[in-house]
Amino acid sequence: MKVSIITVACNSASTIADSMSSVLRQTYKDIEYIVVDGLSSDGTADIIKSFEPQFAGRLKWISEKDKGIYDAMNKGVRMATGDVVGILNSDDFLTDDTVIEQMVQQFPDEAGAIYGDVHFVKADNLSRCVRYYSGRIFRPWLMRLGFLPPHPSLYVRRQLFEQYGLYDASLRISADYELIARLCLKHHVPMKYLHIDFVTMRLGGASTRNWNSRLIGAKENLIACKKNHITTNRFLISLKYPIKLLSGIFIRK
């Protein structure tokens, strides 16, 4: 199984080397690594280029303007030739050197996607987990409550992008939610949970940066459900955070 990992970057010079190094260290070698840079001005492109010899032909990258993070992700998906596709953000890194090997070994033939866990760290202490986000209790119906599995742990068969479409780039924050809702609720694509910590994430992502971002995300979740004819409402979507706290799936350490 060939795996395509996509990293979207924009002025990520302080973190992208960690992302790229974590892919390079993977014990599983049939990896196509794609970096889509948004024409950074801080030397990000120079760092990407410096990694080319180490990837020995397994690295594809472009540096050009885009219309936002999901437009850039779509560029990466279009460039991908792997059997499955995953996203690794430019300020995150794969938690363990065997993550991709374990994922491939446990990817069942009947599944269209696989997902697991991620954990959060502060930028000044990458070794200390401050939050652990598990996909263990995720069920498709929970998307009606604004729930989704950890997107950075999600690997999707590439043929599903061809069959059901790419990320909805008209959404600023919730295109990952919309994609997963479209796959598992509208088209009933079977997804498997894998009890593995896939990714270490620095705090401060677009969807969790502040309460305004959360409000935008909740509004876009409603739009995503409407587009896919999924029944929900503002109250149900707002239940996500109490559910996380009560279930213990979003743990502060």
Side-chain angles (χ1 to χ4, degrees), residues 134-195:
S134 173
R136 176 176 53 86
I137 72 163
F138 174 76
R139 300 294 183 273
W141 65 267
L142 282 170
M143 298 206 73
R144 301 178 193 278
L145 311 184
F147 228 120
L148 75 166
H151 180 243
S153 73
L154 181 70
Y155 284 78
V156 178
R157 291 194 186 275
R158 183 171 56 87
Q159 68 185 43
L160 294 176
F161 287 106
E162 298 172 353
Q163 187 173 359
Y164 298 126
L166 303 174
Y167 290 94
D168 183 348
S170 69
L171 300 174
R172 293 169 53 193
I173 289 176
S174 296
D176 49 353
Y177 174 91
E178 191 279 332
L179 175 72
I180 298 168
R182 192 189 333 145
L183 292 178
C184 71
L185 277 181
K186 184 177 182 179
H187 297 294
H188 307 290
V189 171
M191 302 172 68
K192 178 184 177 180
Y193 168 67
L194 189 60
H195 184 41

Side-chain angles (χ1 to χ4, degrees), residues 202-220:
R202 291 175 173 86
L203 287 171
S207 62
T208 59
R209 189 172 294 124
N210 52 48
W211 278 108
N212 186 55
S213 295
R214 293 186 176 96
L215 290 173
I216 294 171
K219 182 179 179 180
E220 290 189 347

Side-chain angles (χ1 to χ4, degrees), residues 105-125:
Q105 288 175 347
Q106 300 188 58
F107 205 126
D109 292 339
E110 67 274 12
I114 200 167
Y115 62 93
D117 305 340
V118 302
H119 78 275
F120 293 80
V121 296
K122 293 183 178 179
D124 59 354
N125 188 352

Side-chain angles (χ1 to χ4, degrees), residues 3-244:
V3 180
S4 295
I5 300 177
I6 299 165
T7 293
V8 170
C10 185
N11 292 329
S12 305
S14 63
T15 59
I16 195 168
D18 289 343
S19 307
M20 299 188 73
S21 295
S22 74
V23 175
L24 195 61
R25 290 194 303 268
Q26 290 301 299
T27 54
Y28 190 78
K29 297 305 180 184
D30 195 5
I31 295 174
E32 170 187 68
Y33 189 39
I34 299 167
V35 184
V36 181
D37 176 52
L39 209 61
S40 295
S41 58
D42 67 344
T44 296
D46 293 331
I47 295 172
I48 299 167
K49 189 174 182 179
S50 72
F51 273 87
E52 279 189 296
Q54 299 177 69
F55 277 94
R58 295 187 296 130
L59 171 64
K60 298 179 181 178
W61 68 283
I62 57 173
S63 184
E64 61 185 31
K65 286 188 176 182
D66 56 58
K67 297 177 183 177
I69 186 170
Y70 295 114
D71 177 50
M73 287 182 186
N74 285 339
K75 290 181 181 183
V77 174
R78 292 188 189 100
M79 293 169 65
T81 62
D83 299 294
V84 297
V85 178
I87 304 293
L88 178 67
N89 297 325
S90 63
D91 49 359
D92 304 338
F93 52 91
L94 296 168
T95 298
D96 184 87
D97 296 351
T98 66
V99 163
I100 301 302
E101 182 175 2
Q102 293 182 72
M103 183 271 293
V104 169
Q105 288 175 347
Q106 300 188 58
F107 205 126
D109 292 339
E110 67 274 12
I114 200 167
Y115 62 93
D117 305 340
V118 302
H119 78 275
F120 293 80
V121 296
K122 293 183 178 179
D124 59 354
N125 188 352
L126 301 182
S127 62
R128 180 174 177 268
C129 172
V130 295
R131 292 178 183 172
Y132 193 88
Y133 184 9
S134 173
R136 176 176 53 86
I137 72 163
F138 174 76
R139 300 294 183 273
W141 65 267
L142 282 170
M143 298 206 73
R144 301 178 193 278
L145 311 184
F147 228 120
L148 75 166
H151 180 243
S153 73
L154 181 70
Y155 284 78
V156 178
R157 291 194 186 275
R158 183 171 56 87
Q159 68 185 43
L160 294 176
F161 287 106
E162 298 172 353
Q163 187 173 359
Y164 298 126
L166 303 174
Y167 290 94
D168 183 348
S170 69
L171 300 174
R172 293 169 53 193
I173 289 176
S174 296
D176 49 353
Y177 174 91
E178 191 279 332
L179 175 72
I180 298 168
R182 192 189 333 145
L183 292 178
C184 71
L185 277 181
K186 184 177 182 179
H187 297 294
H188 307 290
V189 171
M191 302 172 68
K192 178 184 177 180
Y193 168 67
L194 189 60
H195 184 41
I196 290 176
D197 181 2
F198 277 71
V199 174
T200 301
M201 304 179 64
R202 291 175 173 86
L203 287 171
S207 62
T208 59
R209 189 172 294 124
N210 52 48
W211 278 108
N212 186 55
S213 295
R214 293 186 176 96
L215 290 173
I216 294 171
K219 182 179 179 180
E220 290 189 347
N221 288 354
L222 288 171
I223 294 171
C225 287
K226 185 176 180 180
K227 285 185 174 184
N228 291 289
H229 309 290
I230 297 165
T231 303
T232 190
N233 55 54
R234 192 179 301 275
F235 171 73
L236 290 176
I237 290 289
S238 71
L239 291 175
K240 175 172 66 173
Y241 296 106
I243 287 174
K244 284 181 175 179

